Amino acid sequence: MNRLGRGHRDKLQQFMTITGASEKMAHQYLKTSEWSIEGALNFFYSQPQVKSSADKKRLEELYNRYKDPYCDMIMADGISLLCNDIQVDPQDIVMLVVSWHMGAATMCEFSKQEFISGLQSLGVDSLDKFREKIPFMRDELKDEHKFREIYNFAFDWAKEKGQKSLALDTAIGMWQLLFAEKDWPLVDHWCQFLQARHNKAISRDTWAQLLEFSRSVEPALSNYDAEGAWPYLIDEFVEFLTENGIVQHK
């Protein structure tokens, strides 16, 4: 281990700090991942033994710190305190990733099971480890498969309890947050179009299809197929873009 270069030693220390793994285990995961810290962490957290690395007593203490005094849940005030403790803005998209890891059913709420099992899956049992994990969770948004999972998760997470559709204002806020990560240049036009022409709640199908549209259709609409199986709302959006001279599409 002492023969490692400074860069490798730094990665070794970072991996050990984040995961709580031994030096030997850290070296094994990093070597297997060709010294990619992100690859090593992904590999480590895909293993079934990771949950045991989080101390359940510490997790209980963390939960009790944020639990609402009037119910057995972490509510908005507790999440605000958690964000302050881990030095993250409550509006930061990484909190959506945190909620995804926890399998949270509702925005601004964590049940005890969601909170504890989510942190177990991340190998987190202290605020220091939580803070160390933030860059890893940000990097997950760069993974196309994970981004799709987080995007689809956001629909149920953000909608009101008992509703099948997502309120328009909420959907617009979520789209602006999510697509800021992907630099989709049409997102603001999409939101303007919805407010001008649609002004209704967003269905699950529209939510899912917009991600496919943003990924498969060029911003200039050069490969847009009017005969394709897009929802009518996306077809109307294309008309909106061309009618207003935003995109020149033939």
Side-chain angles (χ1 to χ4, degrees):
M1 304 290 180
N2 293 331
R3 291 175 295 185
L4 293 175
R6 181 174 179 178
H8 284 178
R9 288 201 306 272
D10 288 346
K11 288 183 177 181
L12 193 72
Q13 186 60 50
Q14 184 182 357
F15 187 93
M16 291 166 61
T17 300
I18 293 173
T19 63
S22 66
E23 184 176 356
K24 182 177 180 181
M25 183 180 291
H27 185 270
Q28 179 182 342
Y29 277 101
L30 283 162
K31 188 175 180 182
T32 300
S33 302
E34 298 181 346
W35 292 91
S36 162
I37 187 71
E38 182 181 349
L41 288 169
N42 282 333
F43 184 33
F44 178 80
Y45 287 112
S46 69
Q47 304 303 304
Q49 76 272 15
V50 170
K51 288 188 177 182
S52 63
S53 69
D55 186 283
K56 289 186 177 180
K57 183 178 179 181
R58 289 184 180 180
L59 289 171
E60 291 272 355
E61 291 172 353
L62 277 179
Y63 175 76
N64 289 332
R65 172 172 173 77
Y66 304 113
K67 185 177 79 69
D68 190 270
Y70 303 107
C71 66
D72 194 14
M73 295 276 289
I74 296 175
M75 305 299 284
D77 287 347
I79 292 174
S80 180
L81 177 59
L82 171 64
C83 289
N84 184 67
D85 286 346
I86 61 175
Q87 300 166 8
V88 167
D89 189 297
Q91 303 301 317
D92 193 314
I93 193 172
V94 80
M95 290 308 296
L96 170 59
V97 184
V98 169
S99 298
W100 172 64
H101 276 287
M102 292 184 179
T106 306
M107 186 188 296
C108 296
E109 292 182 11
F110 295 138
S111 70
K112 184 175 184 179
Q113 181 178 354
E114 289 169 351
F115 184 81
I116 289 180
S117 64
L119 292 190
Q120 279 183 321
S121 71
L122 286 165
V124 166
D125 58 12
S126 70
L127 290 173
D128 284 341
K129 287 183 180 180
F130 209 144
R131 283 188 287 267
E132 291 280 357
K133 190 68 63 177
I134 298 299
F136 166 76
M137 287 189 280
R138 289 196 195 283
D139 284 342
E140 289 187 294
L141 291 163
K142 299 174 185 176
D143 181 294
E144 291 299 322
H145 176 71
K146 288 184 180 178
F147 182 86
R148 181 190 294 274
E149 288 190 7
I150 293 166
Y151 179 92
N152 289 331
F153 163 82
F155 182 87
D156 286 317
W157 178 74
K159 68 182 176 65
E160 293 288 335
K161 290 180 181 179
Q163 297 297 311
K164 291 184 178 180
S165 299
L166 186 59
L168 180 60
D169 287 347
T170 304
I172 286 173
M174 293 304 301
W175 272 320
Q176 290 173 331
L177 185 70
L178 285 157
F179 282 119
E181 297 295 314
K182 295 300 176 185
D183 296 321
W184 185 45
L186 297 179
V187 63
D188 288 338
H189 296 304
W190 168 252
C191 295
Q192 290 163 9
F193 157 74
L194 291 174
Q195 290 170 320
R197 300 275 188 92
H198 186 62
N199 202 29
K200 296 178 183 177
I202 299 300
S203 70
R204 185 184 302 275
D205 182 57
T206 298
W207 179 266
Q209 288 294 326
L210 186 69
L211 179 61
E212 297 307 315
F213 180 82
S214 71
R215 286 181 164 183
S216 61
V217 176
E218 295 293 331
L221 307 181
S222 56
N223 62 338
Y224 173 73
D225 180 6
E227 303 301 319
W230 296 111
Y232 81 92
L233 200 57
I234 288 180
D235 289 331
E236 288 188 0
F237 174 53
V238 171
E239 291 179 12
F240 172 83
L241 292 173
T242 54
E243 287 171 3
N244 289 275
I246 298 165
V247 172
Q248 303 296 324
H249 175 59
K250 295 181 181 180

